[in-house]
């Protein structure tokens, strides 16, 4: 149960302890908003030079509003920070993890900005290929790739297929043979590291579906088999330890364990593994509890770790790649909603909670329901002189768990017709969206220099009814 601690002091007792009482409820909290977001003189929020009122009028709500400059700035910041930190070693490059959010335009930006692309299904691969993304800069992931996915990836000449199981080694080898080519593969190694934890409890995460475990020698056996396969080239080893991670401790343990395997392969199989991929997972700020590192700090921290451990194992430092998704896409986007019903619910005694209903919900952001995520929000169409009060922003779905923002301060006069923006919804919101209750998916629009560009159009009832052919 949540504690209700703010007490009568602020006129509402529902604030969790971590949520600071705002000195000005109209302020854009530092770090939560994409780089071009600001309040204009008339009080409305604008992003990419476009006011949210104009977006609501021209595009409607709900809508995902993607700040193109912000996305591209972050992509380049990761690219440059890792290239810079690893330059004195064997270099590094960055693959954007498309599972966070992918569409044709994003694939083209990522391509233009010189990053690689991580895809994990045939669908993501199809988006990338249609956008003209060069195959050699694509990595294909997946714990259960279909034969068709493997075939398509090989035909497209993907730079690496990240093999996830022993039987997939044979599958990829056989399909490569059939197509008369060689497949470049990486092996996904399960290091037993659970993000946020220390080594002594790290093995907790062996019990999951991904990768080839170091325990019991499975990963070593996989290396042996790939090296023996006629149509496979071993590009390197891959490790991904989790998501929304704020420190480099987990990467340290994972890198150590993967490098131990590199050393074992050198010693026992007389083979030098020259590339490592340490995955993604860098955390972002969803609310004031989170303090993410800069790309520069992450890159130099991890470069130091890799260098030190290679030195200890007397290994040549491999080329290293990374796969951030959330940290590039997440902060670039806000979801713009319109307020409908506002309900002050009596909870017994002096307790009450204000429920602010918006025109979307768990179909466009399931992360609150699924991961207990704590989002923030802001009254974005105007400023208000009213006192802040804690509200719960909920959607329109037929489910009481349909919560978008569990707790946030909004001005006490929030009312039907107001615009509310939820920041940091660029990752794992659209990509996890559903049609629950036959609610059509919102559009994703890019804003830049005063222009609105539709990247993904709003789904319509016709789209939904069109699937219903029975
Ligand atoms: N590389 C691999 C192999 C991954 O599995 C993932 C995420 C990434 C890279 C990118 O991780 P990121 O940098 O975005 O944290 N739906 C969940 C997150 C699932 C992450 C799955 N894999 C959420 O909304 O929090």
């Amino acid at each position: 149960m949540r504690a209700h601690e703010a007490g009568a002091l602020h006129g509402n007792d529902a604030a969790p302890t971590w949520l600071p009482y705002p000195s000005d409820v109209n302020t854009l909290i530092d770090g939560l908003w994409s780089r071009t977001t600001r309040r204009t003189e008339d009080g409305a929020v604008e992003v990419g030079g476009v006011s949210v009122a104009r977006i609501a009028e021209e595009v409607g709500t709900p809508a995902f509003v993607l700040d193109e400059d912000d996305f591209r700035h972050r992509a380049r910041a990761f690219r440059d920070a890792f290239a810079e930190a690893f330059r004195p070693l064997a270099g590094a490059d960055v693959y954007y993890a498309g599972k966070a959010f992918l569409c044709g335009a994003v694939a083209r930006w990522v391509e233009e900005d010189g990053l690689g692309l991580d895809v994990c299904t045939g669908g993501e691969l199809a988006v990338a290929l249609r956008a003209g993304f060069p195959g050699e800069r694509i990595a294909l992931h997946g714990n259960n790739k279909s034969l068709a996915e493997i075939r398509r990836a090989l035909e497209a000449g993907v730079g690496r297929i990240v093999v996830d199981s022993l039987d997939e080694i044979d599958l990829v080898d056989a399909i490569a043979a059939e197509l008369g080519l060689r497949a470049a593969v990486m092996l996904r190694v399960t290091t037993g590291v659970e993000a946020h934890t220390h080594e002594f409890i790290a093995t907790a995460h062996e019990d999951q579906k991904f990768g080839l475990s170091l325990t019991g020698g499975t990963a070593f056996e996989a290396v042996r088999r790939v090296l023996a396969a006629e149509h496979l080239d071993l590009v390197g080893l891959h490790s991904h330890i989790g998501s929304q991670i704020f420190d480099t401790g987990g990467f340290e343990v994972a890198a150590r364990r993967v490098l131990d395997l590199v050393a074992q392969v050198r010693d026992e199989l007389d083979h030098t593994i020259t590339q490592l991929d340490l995955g993604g997972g860098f955390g972002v700020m969803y609310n004031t509890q989170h303090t993410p590192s800069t790309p520069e700090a992450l890159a130099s921290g991890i470069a130091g770790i890799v260098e030190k451990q290679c030195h200890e194992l007397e290994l040549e430092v491999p080329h290293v790649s990374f796969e951030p998704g959330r940290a590039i896409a997440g902060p670039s986007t806000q979801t713009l909603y319109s307020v409908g019903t506002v309900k002050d619910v009596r909870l017994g005694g002096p307790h009450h909670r204000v429920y602010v209903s918006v025109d979307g919900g768990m179909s466009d952001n399931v992360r609150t329901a699924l991961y207990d995520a704590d989002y923030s929000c802001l009254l974005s169409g105007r400023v208000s002189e009213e006192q802040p009060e804690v509200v719960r922003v909920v959607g329109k779905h037929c489910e009481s768990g349909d919560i978008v923002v569990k707790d946030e301060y909004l001005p006490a006069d929030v009312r039907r017709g107001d615009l509310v923006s939820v920041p940091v919804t660029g990752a794992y919101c659209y990509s996890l969206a559903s049609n629950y209750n036959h609610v059509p998916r919102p559009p994703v629009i890019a804003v830049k220099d005063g222009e609105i560009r539709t990247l993904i159009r709003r789904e319509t009832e016709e789209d939904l009814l069109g699937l219903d052919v029975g």
Side-chain angles (χ1 to χ4, degrees), residues 288-431:
T288 52
Q289 296 175 102
H290 301 138
T291 48
S293 304
T294 61
E296 291 74 21
L298 288 166
S300 70
I302 299 175
I305 288 167
V306 171
E307 185 180 20
K308 174 169 165 277
Q309 297 186 343
C310 286
H311 180 75
E312 283 170 18
L313 292 164
E314 294 177 11
L315 285 170
E316 281 208 16
V317 180
H319 180 275
V320 187
S321 44
F322 296 88
E323 298 171 337
R326 186 194 313 268
I328 292 174
S332 70
T333 299
Q334 55 180 281
T335 311
L336 183 64
Y337 297 105
S338 294
V339 172
T341 296
V342 178
K343 199 182 275 184
D344 193 352
V345 177
R346 311 314 303 185
L347 302 175
H351 305 290
H352 71 125
R353 191 190 300 282
V354 177
Y355 282 87
V356 175
S357 299
V358 294
D359 49 356
M362 66 194 300
S363 56
D364 59 69
N365 187 352
V366 76
R367 297 194 68 263
T368 306
L370 198 55
Y371 309 115
D372 205 24
D374 273 305
Y375 280 87
S376 178
C377 63
L378 185 77
L379 189 68
S380 53
R382 63 182 174 97
V383 287
S384 166
E385 299 305 317
E386 289 292 314
Q387 284 301 301
E389 75 176 346
V390 179
V391 305
R392 178 158 288 179
V393 178
V394 295
K396 60 178 288 159
H397 293 278
C398 195
E399 182 154 333
S400 55
D402 172 27
I403 298 169
V404 180
V405 183
K406 279 185 283 185
D407 305 282
E408 183 53 286
Y409 286 97
L410 285 182
D413 63 344
V414 59
R415 55 182 180 253
R416 180 178 290 278
D418 271 333
L419 294 173
V420 165
S421 291
V422 176
V424 201
T425 56
Y428 306 111
C429 288
Y430 190 88
S431 63

Side-chain angles (χ1 to χ4, degrees), residues 23-35:
S23 54
D24 178 358
V25 72
N26 299 301
T27 304
L28 292 158
I29 294 173
D30 238 15
L32 272 186
W33 299 89
S34 66
R35 58 193 283 111

Side-chain angles (χ1 to χ4, degrees), residues 97 99 118 141 188 240 243 280-281 323-326 367 371 428:
K99 65 207 81 180
D118 146 7
H141 279 274
R188 167 86 179 254
H240 171 77
S243 212
E323 298 171 337
R326 186 194 313 268
R367 297 194 68 263
Y371 309 115
Y428 306 111

Side-chain angles (χ1 to χ4, degrees), residues 136-198:
E136 68 273 13
R137 281 164 52 197
I138 296 177
L140 176 70
H141 279 274
N143 70 299
N144 186 24
K145 302 173 190 75
S146 70
L147 301 187
E149 285 171 328
I150 295 169
R151 191 169 289 119
R152 186 160 192 202
L154 289 177
E155 282 169 350
V158 299
R160 51 178 75 164
I161 293 184
V162 184
V163 167
D164 200 87
S165 61
L166 289 175
D167 79 316
E168 200 177 279
I169 296 172
D170 301 334
L171 281 183
V172 177
D173 190 37
I175 297 170
E178 182 193 305
L179 296 174
L181 42 80
R182 299 185 67 78
V185 301
M186 273 197 152
L187 288 171
R188 167 86 179 254
V189 174
T190 311
T191 56
V193 175
E194 186 178 19
H196 312 296
T197 66
H198 296 290

